[in-house]
Amino acid sequence: MSGLEQTARTTVSDHALLPGGAPVLAMVSGGGDSVALLHLLASGVFGELPLRVLHVNHMLRGDEANADEAFVVRLCEKLGVSCHAVRYDVSAFAAEHGLNLEDAGRRVRYRFADAELDAWCETLRTASGAGRIALAHTRDDRVETFFMRAIAGAGSGALASIARQRGRVVRPLIDCDREDVRAYLAEHALEWREDATNSDTARTRAFVRARLVPVAAELNPAFRVSLARTMDLLGDDDALLARMADGFVRGFADIAPGEVRFERECMRTLERTMARRVMRAALIEAFPEASRIEAAHVDALVTGLASDAFARDLPGGLSARTEYATLVVSYADAEAPCLQPALLTLPGHADLGAAGEVFAEETGTDDTSGTAHSIVIDAGRTSGALVVDALRDGDRMRPFGMDGSRKLSDLLIDAKVPKRLRRMRPVVRDGERIVWLAGVRMSEEYRVTPETTRSVRVTWKAGEATESGTTTGAGA
């Protein structure tokens, strides 16, 4: 048994990477590492496993990429393994989403791999979680990634480098050196394809491979083994702290599509080290691109928890800002649109799109209960149908229960409604007069009195785009 086979079998066995009978989808690019992995899987070195291959043609290298695809298809035919080759324009995907080619390619590959494995598991009537996606990363890849992240600046979790397993993704060759892979290929007379870009030292990984790794090997020929041990220790420590951080994420952060809101005071009770972990864990859960955010950015966010006027742009089109009691991270272009005008008859209904809906319904004159989102008005004081629209400059009204008028903008500030969401707060108008600033206060002019002969309850059902900030009492 070759050194590669022995090491890979030990890795798979010790870490239970390939459970017996689990469907395995091997990602095969046509390079030496993936060819060796496919040959090991097809030869039954890891036991009898349902095996299928996925090749993703990134359409980046023209005829060369197409030749890689044809090579993988022929190899799979020779080995008797089912193969699905997919072509996808990664360059266009990267441009559309503002990503570098490496990041875009990785996202595309994982997306297709997940879909392919899900479909295969369904065909086999196997739980999707039981399947495995096998990648051919070696210890050399892990070492190179360590250097790249250390140079860019990264925390201990990132310095643990490539994991043996993450979810359904497994790496049976992660403890094998590339030299052993080449020896295995030669022993079995296996051909493979070389990607010319792998030797382009203008690319960071190629530079690390060609310049830094040889220097480290000169200083310590066994440095790969010792560095792998260090990365394992970092990984174990990181896993423990990650489980602790996950508990704080659930308690201190509100994760919604396209947005994370951190409770500033709660986050500031944590030691800075844990606060950074909690921040990063929540961001990665909410935004796929957050895995590329450097430690310096996360550290700046933790510092920003103490500032009432913090704002910062982040990689991946994200931005962060403090909004009263929270620190919000969202996409930079996620500013709420301005609410468009709508007619509200009494009774009636106004659809406000992303801002929600406003309803008006008849109620008894003895019904004077109110909340921040539902009020009762004296309909006899209105001139007819009402209009619901957004805040205007100079808007004022006499708030319920108060003497004198106040600017609606000041009422919104008092209610701690974030500035970016104020144009999505419905303002119910009766001609030039304001009846209600939804979620904050109604006007004293429309309160129900003993002389009221007709009452209408007006209710605002807020949309997701407006559900931020603290609301005060109904002004009822």
Side-chain angles (χ1 to χ4, degrees):
M1 181 179 294
S2 70
L4 181 73
E5 290 174 277
Q6 183 61 56
T7 302
R9 285 186 64 177
T10 299
T11 298
V12 168
S13 175
D14 289 353
H15 300 280
L17 300 185
L18 299 172
V24 178
L25 179 69
M27 302 292 289
V28 180
S29 65
D33 298 342
S34 65
V35 168
L37 174 60
L38 173 58
H39 193 267
L40 287 170
L41 288 165
S43 300
V45 169
F46 307 117
E48 295 300 320
L49 298 165
L51 179 62
R52 179 174 290 188
V53 164
L54 175 66
H55 173 84
V56 181
N57 182 339
H58 294 183
M59 301 174 64
L60 293 174
R61 295 179 296 114
D63 292 341
E64 284 295 309
N66 295 337
D68 290 348
E69 177 186 324
F71 170 81
V72 172
V73 171
R74 289 196 304 271
L75 177 61
C76 289
E77 290 175 349
K78 180 178 179 180
L79 295 174
V81 178
S82 174
C83 175
H84 184 195
V86 178
R87 294 187 178 187
Y88 194 84
D89 190 339
V90 168
S91 179
F93 179 82
E96 179 183 354
H97 296 278
L99 306 170
N100 61 49
L101 288 177
E102 183 178 356
D103 194 15
R106 182 175 57 256
R107 292 194 198 186
V108 167
R109 290 193 301 274
Y110 281 132
R111 186 177 73 184
F112 282 121
D114 279 329
E116 183 80 10
L117 184 56
D118 285 342
W120 190 27
C121 286
E122 184 175 352
T123 299
L124 297 176
R125 296 185 178 180
T126 301
S128 62
R132 294 291 182 266
I133 299 169
L135 305 184
H137 292 112
T138 65
R139 183 155 58 192
D140 289 75
D141 292 309
R142 196 179 184 198
V143 166
E144 292 160 9
T145 299
F146 172 88
F147 280 126
M148 291 169 64
R149 292 177 178 176
I151 291 168
S156 59
L159 292 178
S161 194
I162 303 172
R164 290 180 180 83
Q165 178 173 2
R166 181 158 295 167
R168 301 190 299 178
V169 175
V170 296
R171 299 177 172 89
L173 306 186
I174 199 66
D175 296 319
C176 304
D177 291 330
R178 191 172 290 127
E179 181 180 343
D180 293 330
V181 173
R182 294 297 182 262
Y184 180 87
L185 293 168
E187 178 185 348
H188 293 274
L190 296 173
E191 296 180 352
W192 70 91
R193 298 279 298 174
E194 285 288 355
D195 183 346
T197 62
N198 288 337
S199 59
D200 179 7
T201 54
R203 299 163 66 95
T204 304
R205 184 176 292 277
F207 183 92
V208 168
R209 181 181 300 170
R211 305 283 183 85
L212 297 188
V213 171
V215 173
E218 184 178 347
L219 292 171
N220 177 11
F223 91 98
R224 291 177 177 82
V225 175
S226 58
L227 183 54
R229 188 180 304 116
T230 297
M231 289 187 286
D232 284 343
L233 292 173
L234 287 170
D236 290 343
D237 290 347
D238 183 66
L240 173 61
L241 292 171
R243 289 192 293 272
M244 297 172 62
D246 188 62
F248 289 118
V249 168
R250 303 303 156 216
F252 295 172
D254 181 16
I255 301 175
E259 180 180 272
V260 181
R261 305 183 73 86
F262 296 95
E263 296 295 332
R264 291 170 59 195
E265 288 305 312
C266 292
M267 289 290 294
R268 292 177 66 189
T269 65
L270 300 174
E271 291 287 341
R272 191 176 187 88
T273 299
M274 182 54 68
R276 286 196 296 260
R277 285 185 167 273
V278 172
M279 189 83 70
R280 186 174 185 82
L283 293 177
I284 289 176
E285 182 174 339
F287 309 104
E289 54 272 55
S291 61
R292 313 297 282 182
I293 292 179
E294 298 174 6
H297 294 298
V298 177
D299 199 56
L301 294 180
V302 174
T303 299
L305 291 167
S307 171
D308 291 334
F310 175 78
R312 186 183 180 102
D313 290 330
L314 301 170
L318 299 174
S319 68
R321 63 199 170 274
T322 50
E323 291 182 352
Y324 300 105
T326 62
L327 185 146
V328 183
V329 180
S330 65
Y331 290 108
D333 59 354
E335 294 295 314
C338 182
L339 186 154
Q340 297 300 308
L343 189 67
L344 178 66
T345 58
L346 303 179
H349 162 254
D351 185 349
L352 307 179
E357 302 170 275
V358 174
F359 303 88
E361 55 187 349
E362 300 281 354
T363 188
T365 56
D366 57 345
D367 181 6
T368 58
S369 61
T371 67
H373 287 69
S374 184
I375 62 169
V376 178
I377 65 171
D378 184 340
R381 300 191 182 189
T382 67
S383 57
L386 305 177
V387 170
V388 184
D389 68 358
L391 180 71
R392 303 174 190 168
D393 292 340
D395 273 345
R396 303 181 71 94
M397 75 173 181
R398 179 186 174 191
F400 184 97
M402 294 186 182
D403 294 327
S405 66
R406 292 197 65 193
K407 289 183 179 179
L408 267 58
S409 57
D410 290 341
L411 293 175
L412 288 166
I413 291 172
D414 292 345
K416 300 188 184 308
V417 177
K419 183 177 180 180
R420 67 189 179 90
L421 297 179
R422 291 173 195 166
R423 294 285 180 179
M424 288 293 279
R425 277 300 170 110
V427 178
V428 180
R429 303 176 186 274
D430 178 19
E432 296 299 317
R433 298 181 298 171
I434 293 171
V435 178
W436 184 34
L437 175 55
V440 182
R441 286 209 174 257
M442 66 172 282
S443 168
E444 175 69 22
E445 293 182 59
Y446 295 88
R447 72 180 300 164
V448 173
T449 69
E451 289 74 37
T452 299
T453 59
R454 180 185 173 218
S455 296
V456 171
R457 176 171 292 279
V458 184
T459 301
W460 174 43
K461 182 180 179 182
E464 289 185 4
T466 61
E467 287 287 20
S468 296
T470 303
T471 53
T472 62

